[in-house]
Amino acid sequence: MKKGNNKIILAVETSCDDTCASILKSKNNNLKVLSNIISSQIEIHKKWGGVYPALAKREHQRNLVLVLEQALNKAKLLKIIESPVSPVDRKKLEKILEKEPELLKNLLKFLKKYKKPDVDIMAVTIGPGLDPCLWVGVNFAKALSYYWGIPIVPVNHIEAHILANFLEPKSKRIKFPAIVLIVSGGHTQLILMKNFGKYEILGETRDDAAGECFDKIARILGLGYPGGPAIAAESTKAKKEFKISLPRPMIYFKNYDFSFSGLKTAVLYDFKKRSPKIKKSETYIQEMCAESQQAVIDVLIHKTLKAIKDYKVKTLILGGGVAANQELRKQFQKKIKKEKLSINFNPPNPRFCTDNAVMIGIAGYYNIKKTKPWENIITEPNLRIH
Ligand code: KG4
Ligand code: ZN
C-alpha cells in the first residue's frame, strides 16, 4: 500500500448491461483516470427491446476478465510473469466463483499468466441493480481480493452516478447543499446532498424511470434499444406537422415525485390511432420523439428548479444516463439563466453519465474508509441512498 493519499484503484461495474473496469490513480487529492473500459451489450439486448438479466449475466461472465486485462494494460499495470495457482488457492477460487464457471475458467488462466498488479484498493458496485448481474461483478472482485490480498470498497451505484461529478478540478468549486437529479434507466430521484455521504431522497418516480420511459417509447416507435439516444437523435429533425401534445405527468404536484408510465401510454394511444402509413413516416416518428423528450424535460426541469428554490441550495448536480441528453442540459442552463438562479451547474462529461467504472472508482476513493473483508460483501439489489 502506498503512503498517504496516493493510491491505485481498480473499479468494477456490472449492475446492468455494461461490463466495465477502470483504473484510477489518486495523487495529492487529485484523481486521474488511467483507463476506462466498457464492454456494451447493446447489440445483444437490442432484439429484446430492453435488458434480459440472464443474458446480461452470461455476457458479464464472458467479458469481465477481458475487460480487466484491457483496463490494466491501458494503465500500464500488466506484467506477464507465469506462475501456477496453488491447489489451495484454486479450491478457494472455485468456491467463490461456484456460480460463475465460465468466469472462473477465464480468471484462472489470467492469474497464471500475469503478476499481481500494483493496485491498492478495489471498488465494486453492490447495488442497486439486477441481482444476477451484480453477483458476477461482486464475486469477481471477491476472487481478486482473496488472491491478491487487496481490500474492497462496496459501492452504491447511485452514489457513484453523483460522484461522477467530482472528477474534474472544477468540481472543487462544488458547494453544499446541492440538489441532485438522478435520471437513469432504473432510477429517477431528486436528492438533497448535504455533504459527501449525506443524502436525503426528496422525491422519486412512482412507476417508470425517465430512461425506462424513453426505452419503452422507442420500442413502440421501432427505434431499438437504448431509447434515449435514439429519441434524442430523431428529435433534432422534428417539424410540427401533426401537432402532437403529450401530458406532463405530475408537473404541478407540490411534491418532488415523478410518474412516467402514463406518458408512455399516451404515446401508445396516439400511435395506435394513426394510419399504418403515418406510423411509419419519418415526420411522425421525429415529431413524437421531440414531443416525448420535451415532456420528460419539462417535468424534470420544473421539479428540480422547485427543489433548488425550496431548499436554497448552491449547486445542481446531474447524474445517470439521461443526464447525457444534450437538450436536457441546454434547457437546464437556459432556465437557470432566465430565472437568475445563482447556482453552480457543471454537468459531467456525457461519457461519465451513462454506466462506467470510473464513477465506481471515484465512489471507492471517497468511501475509502468503508473497505470490508471480501467474505462480508454481498449484493444489495434494492440499495437506497441515505
Ligand atoms: O445510467 P445508465 O447508463 O444505466 C442505468 O443505471 O440505468 O442509464 C441508461 C439509460 C437508458 O434508459 C438510456 O435510454 C438513457 O439512459 N440514455 C439517454 C441518453 N443516453 C442514455 N437518455 C436520453 N438521452 C441520452 N443521450
Ligand atoms: Zn446507472
Side-chain angles (χ1 to χ4, degrees):
M1 188 84 88
K2 287 168 207 70
K3 268 194 191 147
N5 249 330
N6 299 349
K7 303 247 187 302
I8 302 233
I9 304 163
L10 159 62
V12 172
E13 151 67 37
T14 63
S15 68
C16 191
D17 60 341
D18 293 303
T19 316
C20 319
S22 165
I23 308 284
L24 280 91
K25 184 179 182 171
S26 75
K27 199 171 177 189
N28 306 326
N29 290 324
N30 278 319
L31 272 175
K32 198 173 160 201
V33 179
L34 301 187
S35 62
N36 176 24
I37 309 296
I38 302 172
S39 170
S40 163
Q41 302 176 3
I42 283 175
E43 286 309 316
I44 288 147
H45 298 291
K46 230 175 189 164
K47 50 179 172 290
W48 306 92
V51 182
Y52 194 68
L55 268 183
K57 175 186 159 145
R58 190 191 73 190
E59 288 306 304
H60 287 312
Q61 271 207 66
R62 282 192 181 156
N63 296 331
L64 259 175
V65 172
L66 208 63
V67 164
L68 169 74
E69 199 171 346
Q70 288 172 3
L72 289 169
N73 190 34
K74 183 98 199 292
K76 300 197 169 46
L77 294 176
L78 210 52
K79 257 198 203 121
I80 298 183
I81 296 187
E82 299 230 8
S83 58
V85 174
S86 74
V88 175
D89 285 344
R90 195 190 166 98
K91 228 176 172 170
K92 197 83 195 177
L93 292 169
E94 277 170 3
K95 180 90 194 111
I96 298 170
L97 291 172
E98 64 184 346
K99 295 210 172 91
E100 292 85 14
E102 195 173 352
L103 178 57
L104 172 73
K105 202 175 85 202
N106 296 341
L107 182 63
L108 285 171
K109 261 196 229 158
F110 173 90
L111 294 176
K112 264 184 227 162
K113 187 170 172 190
Y114 296 108
K115 185 178 174 251
K116 177 189 164 186
D118 185 15
V119 168
D120 302 294
I121 304 153
M122 280 198 297
V124 67
T125 310
I126 59 157
L130 302 168
D131 205 33
C133 297
L134 289 165
W135 269 119
V136 184
V138 164
N139 283 338
F140 182 61
K142 287 168 95 158
L144 292 176
S145 173
Y146 159 75
Y147 195 73
W148 288 336
I150 300 171
I152 307 183
V153 186
V155 168
N156 178 321
H157 183 89
I158 299 295
E159 185 179 31
H161 271 306
I162 299 174
L163 297 179
N165 285 269
F166 291 83
L167 180 64
E168 294 169 31
K170 68 181 174 212
S171 68
K172 300 241 157 50
R173 276 184 269 147
I174 294 180
K175 298 256 181 328
F176 298 116
I179 285 292
V180 180
L181 173 67
I182 290 295
V183 266
S184 70
H187 293 82
T188 299
Q189 292 182 327
L190 266 173
I191 299 164
L192 175 66
M193 181 177 184
K194 296 169 199 154
N195 209 326
F196 291 106
K198 288 207 156 50
Y199 309 98
E200 184 190 329
I201 299 174
L202 302 177
E204 61 196 315
T205 185
R206 294 181 179 179
D207 38 59
D208 293 351
E212 186 181 3
C213 174
F214 284 145
D215 295 338
K216 286 180 175 171
I217 291 173
R219 189 155 55 181
I220 295 169
L221 301 176
L223 296 174
Y225 173 85
I231 288 177
E234 292 300 317
S235 299
T236 58
K237 302 176 244 168
K239 297 169 204 77
K240 292 213 161 171
E241 197 180 310
F242 297 94
K243 302 197 169 42
I244 300 168
S245 169
L246 295 171
R248 269 63 176 158
M250 293 183 70
I251 193 162
Y252 294 119
F253 280 40
K254 287 204 158 53
N255 57 30
Y256 305 105
D257 284 347
F258 302 90
S259 165
F260 290 111
S261 81
L263 185 58
K264 163 215 70 197
T265 311
V267 171
L268 186 63
Y269 283 158
D270 190 282
F271 186 78
K272 275 189 171 164
K273 72 175 193 215
R274 304 284 175 177
S275 72
K277 195 171 160 221
I278 289 182
K279 269 183 199 167
K280 286 197 190 107
S281 73
E282 279 184 358
T283 41
Y284 173 75
I285 305 254
Q286 290 160 357
E287 190 175 329
M288 184 55 97
C289 284
E291 174 62 6
S292 354
Q293 179 176 272
Q294 195 54 51
V296 171
I297 291 177
D298 282 347
V299 179
L300 293 177
I301 294 189
H302 186 87
K303 295 254 168 176
T304 307
L305 258 62
K306 176 173 155 48
I308 289 173
K309 291 175 203 162
D310 289 353
Y311 286 87
K312 299 183 178 61
V313 298
K314 297 180 174 138
T315 304
L316 167 61
I317 290 174
L318 299 188
V322 181
N325 187 283
Q326 292 302 333
E327 206 45 46
L328 175 69
R329 297 155 81 103
K330 207 166 82 191
Q331 293 190 29
F332 255 124
Q333 298 275 17
K334 235 168 130 179
K335 196 85 183 177
I336 287 167
K337 204 167 161 197
K338 191 173 162 214
E339 299 214 3
K340 297 193 175 70
L341 295 172
S342 63
I343 52 159
N344 185 316
F345 176 56
N346 283 305
N349 187 324
R351 74 190 168 111
F352 297 136
C353 289
T354 45
D355 287 350
N356 63 85
V358 171
M359 66 182 197
I360 307 304
I362 304 171
Y365 172 76
Y366 278 97
N367 288 292
I368 218 152
K369 293 201 178 110
K370 295 188 186 157
T371 53
K372 267 191 180 179
W374 65 266
E375 292 95 329
N376 298 349
I377 295 185
I378 52 162
T379 65
E380 292 188 49
N382 300 315
L383 185 62
R384 283 172 71 78
I385 202 162
H386 54 83

